[in-house]
C-alpha cells in the first residue's frame, strides 16, 4: 500500500535491530545459513545476469529481509509477535474489505476484490496468512480471552476477504492446508514406537512425492481442462500454462545458474514481450512465472532449484521429527505457514520476495521448526 516508504521503514528498523547486538545477529545467521543460501545466490547472480543492476538490488533486498526476519524470530517472544502481527493483519483485512479496490479479471471478466494489494492473488495470499495467524492466536495459551477473541475475529474476517477475492486456488489452498496441518498435529500427538513412526514417516514422504507427481500429470492432461470447465473457470489457470511453457523453453539458455534473479521480465526480452502480449498486459508490467519451481529454475538455474528442494525436504523432516505439537504453539504456527506456502508453489511465486510478509513468515517458520539450542555471539576483534 505504501510501497517504497514501507520498505524503507522496515529496512531502517530491521537494521537497527541487527546492529544493536551484531555478534548475536551474526550467530543467528550462521545457525540458519541454509535458508540464506537462496538470497545469497540471488544477490550473487548479478555476475551473470542480463540485468545486473536489478539482480544485485533485488538480491540484496531479499538477503537483508531474510536476515532481519531470522533475528526477529530468534529475539522476539512468540506471543508478542503473534498479537502484534494479528493487530496489523486485522487492520489490513478490514481496510481491504470495507474500502479496498476491485478489478475485472481480463480473461474471466469477473469483478474481484484486490483490497489494498496489487492483485487478487496478492490479496488471497495475505488473507490466507492472516487466517492462520488468527487461528494460532485463537488457541494460544499464553494470551487472555481478549487477544484470543481478536484471533477468532481475524480468522473470520480473513476468510470473508478470501471469498471476496474469488481465488479458487487460494481458497482450496487454505482449506487443504488447514486440514493437513490439523492432521500433522494429530499424528505427532499419537504415541507409537520409534520404528513404527520412522516407517510411517517414510511412507508419508513417499506419498507426498507421488502426490506432487500426480498433480503435475493431472495438470498436463485433459482431465484438468474438463474439471476447470465444469467449475466455469479458465482451464489455462488464467494463462499460467502458456507462461510455464515459454519459461521452460527459455530455461535452456542458461540451465545451470539461470538468467539472474528477477532478470527475465524487462522490456526488450523476447520471452517477456510474448507473455505480456499473450495475456494482454502492457509491456514492462511487473510479472513472474506463477510457479515457484519454474520461476526459480529459470532465474537461478538447477543450482537454485536444488537448494530450494533441499530447504523443503529439511522442513518436512523437521516437522516429522517433532515429538509433539500443541495447537496454538509457535511450532504449530510454523507448520500451518509452511504447508500453506508449499501449496502456493504450484500456482504462485510467493517465496523469496523482498520486503514481503511472505518471506518474513517463511523465515519465522524455519526458525520456529529449528531445534532450540544456545547460540554464542560472534565477536569481531579489531587490532
Amino acid at each position: 500500500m505504501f510501497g517504497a516508504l514501507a520498505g524503507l521503514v522496515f529496512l531502517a528498523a530491521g537494521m537497527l535491530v541487527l546492529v544493536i547486538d551484531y555478534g548475536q545477529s551474526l550467530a543467528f545467521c550462521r545457525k540458519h545459513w541454509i535458508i540464506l543460501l537462496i538470497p545469497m545466490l540471488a544477490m550473487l547472480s548479478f555476475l551473470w545476469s542480463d540485468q545486473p543492476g536489478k539482480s544485485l538490488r533485488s538480491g540484496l533486498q531479499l538477503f537483508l529481509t531474510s536476515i532481519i526476519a531470522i533475528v526477529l524470530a530468534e529475539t522476539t517472544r512468540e506471543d508478542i509477535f503473534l498479537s502484534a502481527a494479528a493487530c496489523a493483519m486485522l487492520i489490513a483485512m478490514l481496510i481491504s474489505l470495507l474500502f479496498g479496490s476491485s478489478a475485472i479479471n481480463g480473461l474471466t471478466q469477473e469483478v474481484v476484490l484486490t483490497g489494498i494489494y496489487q492483485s487478487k492473488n496478492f490479496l488471497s495470499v495475505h488473507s490466507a496468512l492472516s487466517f492462520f495467524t488468527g487461528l494460532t492466536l485463537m488457541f494460544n495459551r499464553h494470551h487472555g480471552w481478549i487477544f484470543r477473541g481478536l484471533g477468532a475475529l481475524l480468522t473470520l474476517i480473513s476468510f470473508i476477504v478470501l471469498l471476496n477475492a474469488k481465488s479458487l486456488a487460494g481458497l482450496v489452498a487454505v482449506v487443504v492446508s488447514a486440514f493437513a496441518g490439523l492432521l500433522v498435529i494429530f499424528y505427532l500427538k499419537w504415541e507409537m514406537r520409534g520404528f513404527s513412526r520412522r516407517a510411517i514417516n517414510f511412507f508419508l514422504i513417499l506419498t507426498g512425492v507421488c502426490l506432487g507427481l500426480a498433480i503435475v500429470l493431472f495438470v498436463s492432461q485433459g482431465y484438468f481442462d474438463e474439471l476447470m470447465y465444469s467449475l466455469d473457470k479458465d482451464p489455462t489457470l488464467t494463462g499460467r500454462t502458456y507462461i510455464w511453457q515459454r519459461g521452460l523453453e527459455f530455461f535452456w539458455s542458461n540451465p545451470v545458474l539461470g538468467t539472474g534473479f528477477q532478470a527475465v521480465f524487462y522490456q526488450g526480452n523476447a520471452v517477456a514481450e510474448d507473455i505480456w502480449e499473450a495475456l494482454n498486459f502492457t509491456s514492462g508490467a511487473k510479472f513472474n512465472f506463477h510457479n515457484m519451481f519454474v520461476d526459480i529454475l529459470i532465474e537461478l538455474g538447477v543450482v537454485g532449484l536444488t537448494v530450494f528442494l533441499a530447504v523443503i525436504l529439511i522442513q518436512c523432516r523437521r516437522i516429522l521429527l517433532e515429538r509433539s505439537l500443541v495447537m496454538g504453539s509457535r511450532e504449530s504456527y510454523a507448520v500451518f505457514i509452511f504447508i500453506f506456502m508449499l501449496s502456493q508453489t504450484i500456482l504462485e511465486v510467493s517465496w523469496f520476495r523482498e520486503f514481503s510478509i511472505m518471506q518474513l513468515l517463511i523465515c519465522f517458520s524455519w526458525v520456529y521448526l529449528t531445534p532450540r539450542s544456545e547460540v554464542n555471539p560472534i565477536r569481531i576483534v579489531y587490532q
Side-chain angles (χ1 to χ4, degrees):
M1 181 178 180
F2 297 102
L5 178 60
L8 183 61
V9 171
F10 170 81
L11 189 60
M15 292 303 295
L16 181 62
V17 172
L18 294 182
V19 300
I20 286 176
D21 191 346
Y22 66 89
Q24 194 77 17
S25 299
L26 289 173
F28 290 143
C29 291
R30 181 177 63 182
K31 178 181 178 182
H32 302 290
W33 62 274
I34 295 178
I35 195 65
L36 293 175
L37 287 178
I38 290 291
M40 286 190 289
L41 183 61
M43 188 167 52
L44 292 174
S45 69
F46 83 95
L47 295 172
W48 60 85
S49 171
D50 294 336
Q51 296 283 295
K54 171 66 173 173
S55 295
L56 179 60
R57 182 177 68 254
S58 298
L60 179 60
Q61 290 173 347
L62 175 62
F63 181 71
L64 291 175
T65 300
S66 301
I67 61 175
I68 289 171
I70 287 171
V71 174
L72 286 175
E74 283 280 10
T75 57
T76 307
R77 279 172 36 195
E78 55 265 26
D79 56 332
I80 294 177
F81 170 74
L82 268 179
S83 55
C87 290
M89 290 174 173
L90 182 59
I91 292 172
M93 291 296 103
L94 286 173
I95 294 176
S96 293
L97 183 62
L98 300 177
F99 309 106
S101 303
S102 297
I104 298 177
N105 188 311
L107 291 177
T108 64
Q109 301 303 311
E110 285 183 302
V111 177
V112 297
L113 180 68
T114 58
I116 60 175
Y117 301 96
Q118 298 173 347
S119 66
K120 73 164 188 174
N121 294 328
F122 263 84
L123 178 62
S124 65
V125 171
H126 283 79
S127 60
L129 295 175
S130 299
F131 175 86
F132 290 116
T133 302
L135 186 66
T136 304
L137 181 59
M138 184 168 58
F139 288 96
N140 188 271
R141 298 176 181 179
H142 298 291
H143 284 95
W145 288 107
I146 293 178
F147 277 105
R148 295 177 77 170
L150 176 70
L153 179 62
L154 176 59
T155 304
L156 176 62
I157 296 297
S158 300
F159 194 75
I160 294 173
V161 171
L162 181 61
L163 292 176
N164 280 273
K166 296 181 181 178
S167 173
L168 178 62
L171 181 61
V172 171
V174 167
V175 173
V176 171
S177 299
F179 182 70
L182 291 174
L183 280 181
V184 168
I185 292 173
F186 173 77
Y187 168 67
L188 294 176
K189 289 174 72 70
W190 183 18
E191 295 186 4
M192 63 181 73
R193 291 183 177 181
F195 174 78
S196 299
R197 186 173 293 279
R198 287 194 296 272
I200 294 177
N201 287 349
F202 174 77
F203 174 75
L204 289 174
I205 293 175
L206 181 62
T207 301
V209 173
C210 292
L211 182 60
L213 293 174
I215 291 174
V216 172
L217 292 174
F218 182 71
V219 170
S220 64
Q221 300 298 319
Y223 304 113
F224 179 76
D225 289 1
E226 294 176 7
L227 174 63
M228 295 303 287
Y229 278 128
S230 68
L231 297 173
D232 197 26
K233 295 290 182 179
D234 177 19
T236 65
L237 296 169
T238 321
R240 283 176 174 84
T241 50
Y242 176 73
I243 301 172
W244 301 341
Q245 177 189 345
R246 295 293 287 122
L248 291 174
E249 291 171 359
F250 187 55
F251 156 72
W252 293 105
S253 63
N254 194 344
V256 178
L257 293 174
T259 60
F261 187 58
Q262 296 187 7
V264 176
F265 289 96
Y266 62 90
Q267 287 181 307
N269 185 311
V271 173
E273 296 290 354
D274 286 347
I275 292 174
W276 282 324
E277 182 179 359
L279 273 67
N280 299 317
F281 280 83
T282 57
S283 178
K286 194 171 183 180
F287 214 78
N288 58 61
F289 286 100
H290 287 277
N291 180 293
M292 195 65 231
F293 301 103
V294 173
D295 195 84
I296 205 166
L297 185 64
I298 295 167
E299 293 186 356
L300 299 178
V302 174
V303 174
L305 181 63
T306 301
V307 175
F308 181 49
L309 292 174
V311 168
I312 292 175
L313 290 175
I314 290 172
Q315 281 291 75
C316 290
R317 181 176 181 273
R318 286 175 173 176
I319 291 172
L320 293 176
L321 289 179
E322 282 284 338
R323 293 187 176 181
S324 180
L325 277 181
V326 178
M327 187 66 180
S329 66
R330 72 183 222 160
E331 290 82 8
S332 70
Y333 183 55
V335 168
F336 280 122
I337 294 298
F338 172 70
I339 292 175
F340 171 74
M341 292 303 297
L342 187 61
S343 73
Q344 290 292 288
T345 57
I346 303 298
L347 299 178
E348 298 296 340
V349 179
S350 301
W351 294 58
F352 307 117
R353 300 185 71 96
E354 64 274 21
F355 300 149
S356 70
I357 188 66
M358 291 90 78
Q359 183 62 16
L360 185 79
L361 293 184
I362 285 169
C363 292
F364 266 73
S365 176
W366 178 270
V367 171
Y368 284 175
L369 288 173
T370 302
R372 304 193 193 202
S373 61
E374 187 174 345
V375 176
N376 296 319
I378 297 175
R379 299 302 179 192
I380 300 176
V381 180
Y382 299 96
Q383 300 293 336

